[in-house]
């Protein structure tokens, strides 16, 4: 616990709350315990509502500890209370410690307790208590006591989990992850404004829209039978088109969306429409979009849900999960505007900075690292432009991103629609152009294999 010695107080906290699909959370009760002194707080919703701020210290000298803190911080927003200055989320840290490993009992609090050999409530008991919290008022005195006891059981579990995990936690980075959980809580609280009338119109006419989409996009392909995607028909069409398609170890076609996405880059005019149609028909469930009474889409963003640490919200419930055309339903309220913002060449810049590769840094500083990379590699003349060498720039952009995501020569060649030998040549070219990056990258990979950590 020495890593937490800088904090005057360490507060373990858990809320029970009700949050129907698309709606903001409504606090039911809260239990908090100061880790060192053992001071315990048990408060019901009416008591919480009378407080203008948390009943415990949340300044820079105190540490707020929770498991999946965005849920607790959403309750902070609902009260409304100021956010804690220092947040440690044991869920985020457990994901960091076990990402990529098989976690037999899952990533929830019970799973973390089990991983470290600690006891917790049974899954059945937790499910019943969660259902009771979601039901909402009115509660009997006995139900209130049961919910507070259940809430305290999670806080007690945090008290057992924290000393076991603390020696494995990189506190400065953990506090950054905690800050991100606060940002996630704000994103979930705010939601995305939708055109409710247009969504209702789509829902009412969805079956006929599906039929029309198949009629327009599948024409000449013959992949669908009614509204059903047929793998054997798709295989026949690929053969007729001369498109080589990746297969699974079983020999069957790889029909994962990742594969469709990759092949869509190689054959944008032929594969991308098929992927969009397939997504629209199989993934899009308009009735599953989580929309609140204020016509805003809200759902659990599942931060750190993927092995790479990204958010992993439900594709069915989240506005940005289904096909991109559905985003036309996003509509700002009168007098407001929305901006869709993304970083440019973010991965390239981070790799250049972390590796210290001077040539890579120069490419990033040029404002067009992919074109500059092509020039550095001798594939484009020094006076070449994005307009004059568009194809070469796109090829080196794909190569740059492929390298940073560990893509092999065959997959790279397939993405570029070129022979496998070309994939090997391009990867070798990247190594010659950015040797310092590769020294750093190989060292990081080797350290990970030897130590089990990045």
């Amino acid at each position: 616990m020495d890593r937490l010695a800088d904090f005057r107080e360490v507060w373990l906290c858990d809320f029970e709350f009700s949050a129907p699909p698309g709606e903001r959370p409504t606090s039911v009760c809260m239990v908090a315990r100061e880790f060192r002194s053992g001071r315990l707080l048990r408060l019901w919703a009416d008591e919480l509502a009378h407080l203008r701020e948390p009943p415990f210290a949340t300044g820079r000298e105190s540490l707020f500890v929770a498991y999946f803190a965005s849920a607790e911080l959403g309750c902070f927003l609902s009260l409304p209370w100021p956010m804690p200055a220092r947040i440690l989320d044991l869920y985020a840290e457990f994901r960091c410690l076990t990402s990529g490993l098989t976690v037999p009992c899952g990533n929830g609090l019970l799973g973390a307790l089990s991983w470290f050999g600690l006891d917790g409530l049974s899954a059945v008991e937790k499910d019943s208590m969660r259902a009771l919290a979601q039901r909402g008022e009115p509660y009997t005195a006995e139900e209130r006591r049961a919910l507070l006891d259940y809430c305290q059981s999670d806080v007690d579990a945090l008290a057992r989990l924290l000393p076991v995990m603390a020696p494995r936690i990189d506190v400065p980075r953990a506090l950054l992850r905690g800050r991100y959980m606060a940002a996630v809580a704000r994103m979930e609280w705010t939601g995305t404004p939708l055109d409710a009338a247009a969504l209702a119109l789509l829902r009412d006419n969805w079956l006929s829209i599906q039929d029309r989409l198949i009629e327009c996009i599948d024409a000449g392909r013959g992949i669908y039978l009614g509204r059903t995607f047929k793998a054997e028909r798709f295989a026949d069409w690929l053969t007729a088109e001369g498109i080589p398609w990746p297969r699974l170890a079983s020999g069957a076609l790889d029909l994962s969306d990742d594969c469709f996405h990759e092949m869509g880059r190689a054959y944008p005019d032929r594969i991308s429409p098929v992927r969009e149609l397939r997504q629209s028909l199989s993934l899009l469930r308009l009735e599953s979009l989580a929309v609140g009474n204020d016509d805003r889409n809200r759902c659990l963003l599942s931060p750190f849900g993927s092995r790479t640490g990204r958010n992993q919200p439900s594709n069915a419930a989240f506005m940005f999960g289904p096909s991109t055309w559905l985003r036309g339903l996003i509509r700002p309220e009168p007098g407001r505007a929305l901006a869709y913002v993304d970083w440019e060449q973010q991965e390239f810049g981070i790799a250049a900075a972390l590796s210290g590769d001077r040539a890579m840094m120069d490419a990033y500083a040029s404002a067009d690292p992919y074109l500059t990379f092509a020039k550095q590699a001798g594939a484009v003349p020094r006076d070449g432009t994005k307009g004059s060498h568009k194809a070469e720039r796109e090829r080196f952009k794909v190569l740059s991103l492929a390298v940073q995501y560990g893509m092999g020569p065959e997959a790279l060649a397939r993405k570029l629609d070129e022979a496998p030998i070309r994939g090997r040549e391009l990867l070798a070219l990247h190594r010659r152009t950015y040797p310092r990056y590769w020294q750093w990258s190989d060292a990081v990979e080797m350290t990970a294999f030897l130590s089990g950590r990045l």
Side-chain angles (χ1 to χ4, degrees):
M1 296 297 292
D2 290 343
R3 301 190 179 197
L4 306 182
D6 292 338
F7 299 100
R8 181 176 297 173
E9 294 182 343
V10 177
W11 281 95
L12 315 173
C13 182
D14 185 65
F15 279 83
E16 297 308 316
F17 57 90
S18 173
E23 303 294 348
R24 290 169 169 169
T26 300
S27 300
V28 173
C29 62
M30 183 205 76
V31 174
R33 183 191 295 278
E34 204 286 309
F35 181 76
R36 297 192 184 97
S37 67
R39 180 188 170 198
L40 181 66
L41 301 172
R42 289 164 52 107
L43 299 172
W44 195 254
D46 52 355
E47 299 171 293
L48 296 171
H50 286 93
L51 299 175
R52 293 179 177 269
E53 58 185 22
F56 48 82
T58 56
R60 298 175 66 88
E61 294 182 349
S62 296
L63 183 64
F64 177 88
V65 182
Y67 201 92
F68 216 98
S70 57
E72 276 60 52
L73 298 174
C75 293
F76 268 60
L77 292 170
S78 71
L79 286 167
W81 290 347
M83 286 289 191
R86 297 287 183 266
I87 300 163
L88 174 63
D89 188 342
L90 295 186
Y91 160 77
E93 300 315 299
F94 183 65
R95 292 293 293 132
C96 187
L97 290 170
T98 62
S99 184
L101 303 178
T102 299
V103 184
C105 298
N107 297 308
L109 180 57
L110 290 180
L113 291 169
S114 175
W115 181 269
F116 291 105
L118 303 173
D119 294 330
L121 286 179
S122 71
V124 173
E125 187 175 357
K126 286 188 75 70
D127 288 343
S128 66
M129 287 291 101
R130 285 172 179 165
L132 180 60
Q134 287 291 334
R135 191 200 74 192
E137 294 281 8
Y139 293 108
T140 66
E142 184 178 349
E143 287 174 332
R144 286 191 175 201
R145 185 167 53 254
L147 281 170
L148 279 167
D149 289 345
Y150 164 61
C151 196
Q152 183 176 334
S153 72
D154 279 354
V155 171
D156 293 341
L158 288 175
R160 297 195 301 277
L161 191 58
L162 180 59
V164 175
M165 290 186 63
R168 300 169 170 85
I169 293 175
D170 178 356
V171 174
R173 258 59 61 184
L175 295 181
L176 287 175
R177 287 186 280 270
R179 284 177 58 188
Y180 180 65
M181 296 303 280
V184 167
R186 292 188 184 279
M187 287 187 276
E188 292 178 346
W189 173 266
T190 302
T192 304
L194 303 182
D195 185 333
L199 176 58
L201 190 63
L202 277 174
R203 282 173 167 168
D204 290 342
N205 295 277
W206 182 232
L207 290 180
S208 60
I209 292 172
Q210 285 181 311
D211 293 337
R212 182 62 177 151
L213 284 171
I214 293 171
E215 180 185 340
C216 292
I217 299 174
D218 196 43
R221 293 185 173 92
I223 298 170
Y224 280 80
L225 181 61
R227 299 189 186 111
T228 305
F229 178 94
K230 291 293 185 178
E232 60 273 17
R233 291 189 175 199
F234 181 56
D236 292 341
W237 176 75
L238 290 172
T239 300
E241 292 290 315
I243 299 176
W245 194 269
R247 293 182 178 270
L248 303 173
S250 64
L253 294 174
D254 183 353
L255 299 179
S256 67
D257 187 60
D258 285 342
C259 184
F260 266 91
H261 180 66
E262 181 180 317
M263 295 300 290
R265 289 179 177 272
Y267 303 94
D269 296 334
R270 290 181 283 176
I271 297 299
S272 292
V274 177
R275 178 188 179 231
E276 281 291 315
L277 176 61
R278 190 163 175 262
Q279 276 192 317
S280 296
L281 299 181
S282 65
L283 298 180
L284 181 56
R285 299 289 184 268
L286 291 175
E287 69 277 5
S288 299
L289 279 177
V291 183
N293 289 324
D294 58 356
D295 298 331
R296 286 178 175 253
N297 170 235
R298 296 184 185 87
C299 70
L300 184 69
L301 294 180
S302 296
F304 304 105
S306 73
R307 286 185 298 175
T308 58
R310 295 171 183 250
N311 293 353
Q312 205 166 46
S314 162
N315 278 330
F318 189 42
M319 190 64 216
F320 294 88
S323 298
T324 54
W325 63 264
L326 195 67
R327 296 175 194 175
L329 291 174
I330 297 174
R331 184 186 67 177
E333 296 164 355
R336 293 182 175 270
L338 288 171
Y340 195 105
V341 182
D342 194 9
W343 293 92
E344 287 189 352
Q345 298 95 36
Q346 184 182 29
E347 295 93 341
F348 195 104
I350 292 172
L354 292 179
S355 66
D357 190 299
R358 177 48 58 188
M360 209 172 194
M361 291 181 182
D362 292 342
Y364 183 72
S366 72
D368 192 340
Y370 308 128
L371 181 63
T372 302
F373 172 25
K375 292 178 180 180
Q376 291 170 331
V380 170
R382 289 292 172 183
D383 59 353
T385 66
K386 185 175 180 179
S388 64
H389 291 79
K390 182 178 179 180
E392 289 83 355
R393 179 190 179 276
E394 182 62 26
R395 183 177 292 107
F396 277 79
K397 176 181 179 179
V398 172
L399 172 59
S400 296
L401 296 174
V403 163
Q404 291 176 243
Y405 285 97
M407 187 175 290
E410 291 78 13
L412 173 60
R414 192 162 57 242
K415 183 176 285 289
L416 293 172
D417 194 19
E418 297 192 26
I421 191 173
R422 183 59 175 153
R424 291 191 287 273
E425 291 173 349
L426 287 170
L427 287 174
L429 189 59
H430 192 288
R431 280 188 175 272
R432 290 197 298 270
T433 307
Y434 301 130
R436 180 70 190 95
Y437 163 80
W438 279 97
Q439 291 172 9
W440 167 80
S441 178
D442 291 343
V444 168
E445 185 176 341
M446 185 59 66
T447 300
F449 277 119
L450 293 173
S451 68
R453 289 185 60 85
L454 283 171

